Amino acid sequence: MKRYATAALLGAISLSACAQPQAPGADAKTAAAPAASVAGTQPKTTPGTPDAKAVAAIRALNQQVPIDRVGAAPMPGFREVIVGGRTLYVSDDGKYLIQGSLYDMSVKKDLSEASLSKLRKEMLKQVPISDRIVFAPANPKYTLTVFTDIECGYCQKMHSEIAEYNRQGIEIQYLAFPRMGLGSQDHKKMIAVWCAADRKQALTAAKSGKSVPMKDCKNPVTMEYDLGQRLGLTGTPMIITANGEQVPGYMPPQEMRSYLDKLAESAADPKTAAASG
């Protein structure tokens, strides 16, 4: 029983860090790119400290899973560890591990999501605007980062309404996430989009089912795919606000504007935020 419980936990914390199976014909250099980045992800800790024990506990389950942050948890006796887009809690002695959201009943706030939002915001800052495909109105009220795929139905639907999102004052900044995995035809098509002379036109064509001339160049597609996994992406489109909060999923433009307005109101009024949870 202990063995099966450990296996289940291992799978849970490694899910977002595991790439899709390597596609037939994918070369070893391309397939290995995210793994190299993930393997180098680990916070610095001092031996013997609660932080070091927490990292050691995670590494005992999985040597490769990315650990992006470790520090004091909001509850005493535990460390908060962000692992592959998930928040875990490990006891200071490294003996116990808790999965799931930590909810503060006094203020009705999900503390786990708050920590993830902060990390997402910091990590997304590392992606320059030149590596994104941006559709923006003249004076945007809100900016969303969207991990997208050209084959995903909801990604296609969202993009078909891009002009209306812009009319609603919403800027969309796309990052690439070829959901079929590295080396797949999907991956190659997304590289072609990012290598096109007019990326916006190429992305619109690809999402409309039109062919895009296959090209290769120095591009951020693999890096963005890796980043999406580290942020806990489980499906496309993954939509993230400027504050790092993850939007539940696709919403029509007017509904999205209303949702963002409510988030802004909650942020401006702590009492409203507490009431809304």
Side-chain angles (χ1 to χ4, degrees):
M1 180 66 71
K2 181 179 179 181
R3 181 181 64 185
Y4 293 125
T6 301
L9 177 61
L10 179 84
I13 67 172
S14 63
L15 178 64
S16 66
C18 295
Q20 296 282 349
Q22 182 176 341
D27 61 81
K29 182 178 180 181
T30 298
S37 175
V38 167
T41 303
Q42 179 165 316
K44 293 181 180 179
T45 58
T46 302
T49 63
D51 283 357
K53 291 177 182 178
V55 169
I58 299 298
R59 287 283 174 250
L61 293 174
N62 190 326
Q63 287 290 329
Q64 296 299 317
V65 71
I67 299 177
D68 288 301
R69 175 166 298 168
V70 60
M75 58 181 173
F78 281 81
R79 313 310 286 175
E80 182 181 78
V81 191
I82 298 183
V83 179
R86 288 171 170 78
T87 306
L88 305 177
Y89 301 94
V90 181
S91 59
D92 287 348
D93 60 5
K95 185 177 180 180
Y96 301 102
L97 185 150
I98 299 174
Q99 295 185 87
S101 295
L102 180 62
Y103 197 78
D104 188 328
M105 295 296 291
S106 64
V107 296
K108 296 181 174 58
K109 182 178 181 180
D110 186 338
L111 302 181
S112 302
E113 177 58 29
S115 295
L116 283 174
S117 295
K118 183 177 179 181
L119 180 66
R120 292 189 198 108
K121 183 178 179 180
E122 292 175 0
M123 293 181 72
L124 287 171
K125 286 181 180 178
Q126 301 172 18
V127 184
I129 197 72
S130 59
D131 284 346
R132 307 173 183 226
I133 299 180
V134 180
F135 290 79
N139 297 293
K141 174 71 174 179
Y142 301 109
T143 298
L144 297 176
T145 297
V146 180
F147 283 89
T148 194
D149 176 73
I150 59 176
E151 305 289 348
C152 153
Y154 276 111
C155 297
Q156 294 171 348
K157 181 172 179 58
M158 184 174 189
H159 191 68
S160 71
E161 300 168 319
I162 197 72
E164 184 57 30
Y165 282 104
N166 286 171
R167 280 192 286 271
Q168 291 292 329
I170 302 170
E171 175 177 327
I172 304 294
Q173 298 187 359
Y174 283 121
L175 301 186
F177 193 89
R179 62 180 184 160
M180 298 308 294
L182 302 179
S184 65
Q185 191 64 20
D186 184 25
H187 179 216
K188 294 174 182 176
K189 287 180 181 178
M190 295 200 78
I191 288 176
V193 167
W194 256 256
C195 289
D198 187 334
R199 290 177 176 178
K200 293 170 67 174
Q201 184 181 58
L203 183 63
T204 298
K207 288 194 175 190
S208 301
K210 299 176 182 177
S211 61
V212 175
M214 299 304 288
K215 291 183 179 181
D216 197 0
C217 65
K218 183 178 180 181
N219 65 84
V221 174
T222 296
M223 178 274 291
E224 292 176 0
Y225 174 85
D226 182 29
L227 178 60
Q229 291 186 313
R230 288 174 61 190
L231 295 181
L233 187 153
T234 57
T236 50
M238 182 186 193
I239 306 169
I240 303 173
T241 72
N243 287 329
E245 298 170 80
Q246 183 173 351
V247 176
Y250 161 81
M251 296 180 195
Q254 290 185 339
E255 186 178 334
M256 182 69 79
R257 174 60 193 256
S258 177
Y259 177 85
L260 295 173
D261 284 342
K262 289 178 181 178
L263 278 184
E265 290 172 8
S266 295
D269 184 352
K271 292 182 180 179
T272 302
S276 64

